[in-house]
């Protein structure tokens, strides 16, 4: 634990200097992808079956089983903007089919079974501004989150720009969703405890708002990773997969399909400098 803390301190001490001396980036336009009708319908269905967990009952254990079966999950923590200076009120986890709102004010603590999942490398956790969330969970709950995939980092890489961008703004930009669809009247309330989700009970609007962000954060991640950062890899894979389709002579194809054949390997761009160890 002490080694991890010292490492964090070393990084924090040099982060501002590193940013100031880093090479400037030439900003690129990010490839966007608006939600299709079936995706909007699926989103609506998911928002109608949000599971709120306030005790370690059957719903709690079913949620853990679902989360454990995933390869990647979307995680939202509120409030978290000021990291360790906040007290966790809710943790929202969206899996492929369900969204769970863990009410930490009711639960009191993050129980060991959920801690194990959050600290494990898998399932991977999609977060936005993970530096704030991980600071909160480390200092308030002694949790070290592993397997993090940060959508803010992905957005910075995709558009070659290190400017601030909230999760709502990133969703608006990449998924082409109006900001009006990513809000509820409670988050503009004059009552701070309502705005930061520490007041109880949580309203239906607040729950839908949190769930929608968690679900769309997952889609944001996919669009940034596969639609932008890994787009060249996908293009190469597409060309490679079609290598034999264009060849009509079966006998020639058969000759090129022997175990040692390198047919089609030329479409793998050497820019990626893939190295193969020689036994």
């Amino acid at each position: 634990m002490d080694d991890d803390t010292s490492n964090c301190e070393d990084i924090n001490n040099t982060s501002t200097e590193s940013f100031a001396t880093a090479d400037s980036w030439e900003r690129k336009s990010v490839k966007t992808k608006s939600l299709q009708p079936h995706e909007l319908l699926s989103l609506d269905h998911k928002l109608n079956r949000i599971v709120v967990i306030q005790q370690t009952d059957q719903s709690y254990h079913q949620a853990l089983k679902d989360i454990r079966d995933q390869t990647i999950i979307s995680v939202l923590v509120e409030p978290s903007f000021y990291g360790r200076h906040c007290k966790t009120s809710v943790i929202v986890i969206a899996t492929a089919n369900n969204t769970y709102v863990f009410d930490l004010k009711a639960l009191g603590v993050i129980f060991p079974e959920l801690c194990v999942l959050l600290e494990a490398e898998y399932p991977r956790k999609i977060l936005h501004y993970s530096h704030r969330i991980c600071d909160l969970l480390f200092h308030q709950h002694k949790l070290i989150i592993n397997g993090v995939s940060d959508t803010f980092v992905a957005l910075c890489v995709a558009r070659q720009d290190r400017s601030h961008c909230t999760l709502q703004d990133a969703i608006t930009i990449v998924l082409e969703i109006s900001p009006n669809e990513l809000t509820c009247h409670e988050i503009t309330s004059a009552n701070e405890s309502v705005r930061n989700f520490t007041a109880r009970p949580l309203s239906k609007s607040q729950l839908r708002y949190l769930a929608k962000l968690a679900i769309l954060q997952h889609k944001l991640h996919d669009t940034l990773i596969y639609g932008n950062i890994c787009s060249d890899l996908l293009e190469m894979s597409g060309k490679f997969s079609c290598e034999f389709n264009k060849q009509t002579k079966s006998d020639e194809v058969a000759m090129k399909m022997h175990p040692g054949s390198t047919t089609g390997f030329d479409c793998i761009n050497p820019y990626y400098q893939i190295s193969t160890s020689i036994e």
Side-chain angles (χ1 to χ4, degrees), residues 50-57 60 63 76 78-79 87-93 99-111 114 141 196-203 206-207 210:
I50 301 166
V51 180
V52 180
I53 297 173
Q54 297 178 310
Q55 56 185 330
T56 55
D57 55 9
Y60 172 82
L76 206 67
E78 289 290 350
K87 188 171 182 180
T88 314
S89 180
V90 292
I91 296 178
V92 185
I93 298 179
T99 307
Y100 306 100
V101 178
F102 292 85
D103 185 347
L104 263 292
K105 292 197 75 173
L107 291 167
V109 297
I110 304 175
F111 289 104
L114 183 57
H141 302 279
N196 65 19
F197 305 94
T198 57
R200 291 297 183 274
L202 293 169
S203 69
Q206 286 176 303
L207 292 173
L210 292 168

Side-chain angles (χ1 to χ4, degrees), residues 213-254:
L213 285 186
I215 295 167
L216 292 177
Q217 182 175 243
H218 207 309
K219 292 189 176 295
L220 171 66
H221 172 269
D222 284 357
T223 302
L224 288 171
I225 298 299
Y226 298 108
N228 288 270
I229 296 173
C230 291
S231 58
D232 290 343
L233 174 62
L234 292 178
E235 183 179 351
M236 283 189 281
S237 297
K239 289 180 179 177
F240 185 66
S241 67
C242 295
E243 178 62 30
F244 291 116
N245 294 359
K246 59 192 176 185
Q247 301 187 31
T248 57
K249 296 183 178 179
S250 295
D251 55 342
E252 292 183 5
V253 172

Side-chain angles (χ1 to χ4, degrees), residues 19-274:
F19 182 82
T21 58
D23 293 336
S24 60
W25 291 358
E26 182 179 347
R27 183 166 179 172
K28 302 192 306 186
S29 58
V30 64
K31 295 178 183 177
T32 62
K33 182 182 182 297
S34 57
L35 297 186
Q36 299 302 304
H38 72 277
E39 292 176 307
L40 291 171
L41 182 62
S42 174
L43 174 61
D44 190 55
H45 287 330
K46 290 177 181 178
L47 293 178
N48 287 326
R49 58 171 192 264
I50 301 166
V51 180
V52 180
I53 297 173
Q54 297 178 310
Q55 56 185 330
T56 55
D57 55 9
Q58 185 178 4
S59 295
Y60 172 82
H61 292 288
Q62 287 178 341
L64 293 181
K65 183 179 184 303
D66 184 21
I67 294 167
R68 195 177 294 113
D69 288 342
Q70 306 297 312
T71 56
I72 191 164
I73 56 176
S74 176
V75 181
L76 206 67
V77 177
E78 289 290 350
S80 67
F81 200 80
Y82 291 98
R84 70 188 71 180
H85 305 292
C86 304
K87 188 171 182 180
T88 314
S89 180
V90 292
I91 296 178
V92 185
I93 298 179
T95 65
N97 296 305
N98 299 295
T99 307
Y100 306 100
V101 178
F102 292 85
D103 185 347
L104 263 292
K105 292 197 75 173
L107 291 167
V109 297
I110 304 175
F111 289 104
E113 303 94 338
L114 183 57
C115 289
V116 168
L117 292 173
L118 292 173
E119 291 194 311
E121 194 70 28
Y122 294 97
R124 295 203 175 278
K125 294 92 190 167
I126 303 170
L127 303 168
H128 195 88
Y129 282 165
S130 61
H131 58 333
R132 301 179 190 276
I133 295 173
C134 290
D135 180 78
L136 165 64
L137 295 177
F138 176 72
H139 287 278
Q140 294 287 340
H141 302 279
K142 305 305 178 188
L143 282 176
I144 298 177
I145 309 302
N146 290 297
V148 172
S149 184
D150 193 304
T151 48
F152 173 69
V153 173
L155 179 64
C156 289
V157 172
R159 65 177 183 172
Q160 294 290 282
D161 179 27
R162 286 180 289 228
S163 301
H164 283 290
C165 190
T166 65
L167 175 58
Q168 292 91 326
D169 289 339
I171 291 172
T172 295
I173 292 167
V174 178
L175 300 181
E176 301 178 336
I177 294 176
S178 167
N180 294 332
E181 297 181 37
L182 300 173
T183 188
C184 65
H185 70 273
E186 285 89 346
I187 65 171
T188 59
S189 170
N191 188 332
E192 183 180 358
S193 65
V194 173
R195 285 201 314 272
N196 65 19
F197 305 94
T198 57
R200 291 297 183 274
L202 293 169
S203 69
K204 182 178 180 180
S205 295
Q206 286 176 303
L207 292 173
R208 286 177 65 89
Y209 166 83
L210 292 168
K212 180 181 283 189
L213 285 186
I215 295 167
L216 292 177
Q217 182 175 243
H218 207 309
K219 292 189 176 295
L220 171 66
H221 172 269
D222 284 357
T223 302
L224 288 171
I225 298 299
Y226 298 108
N228 288 270
I229 296 173
C230 291
S231 58
D232 290 343
L233 174 62
L234 292 178
E235 183 179 351
M236 283 189 281
S237 297
K239 289 180 179 177
F240 185 66
S241 67
C242 295
E243 178 62 30
F244 291 116
N245 294 359
K246 59 192 176 185
Q247 301 187 31
T248 57
K249 296 183 178 179
S250 295
D251 55 342
E252 292 183 5
V253 172
M255 292 296 293
K256 294 176 180 178
M257 283 186 172
H258 67 85
S261 173
T262 59
T263 299
F265 287 18
D266 57 306
C267 66
I268 302 173
N269 193 333
Y271 168 79
Y272 285 86
Q273 299 180 0
I274 300 171

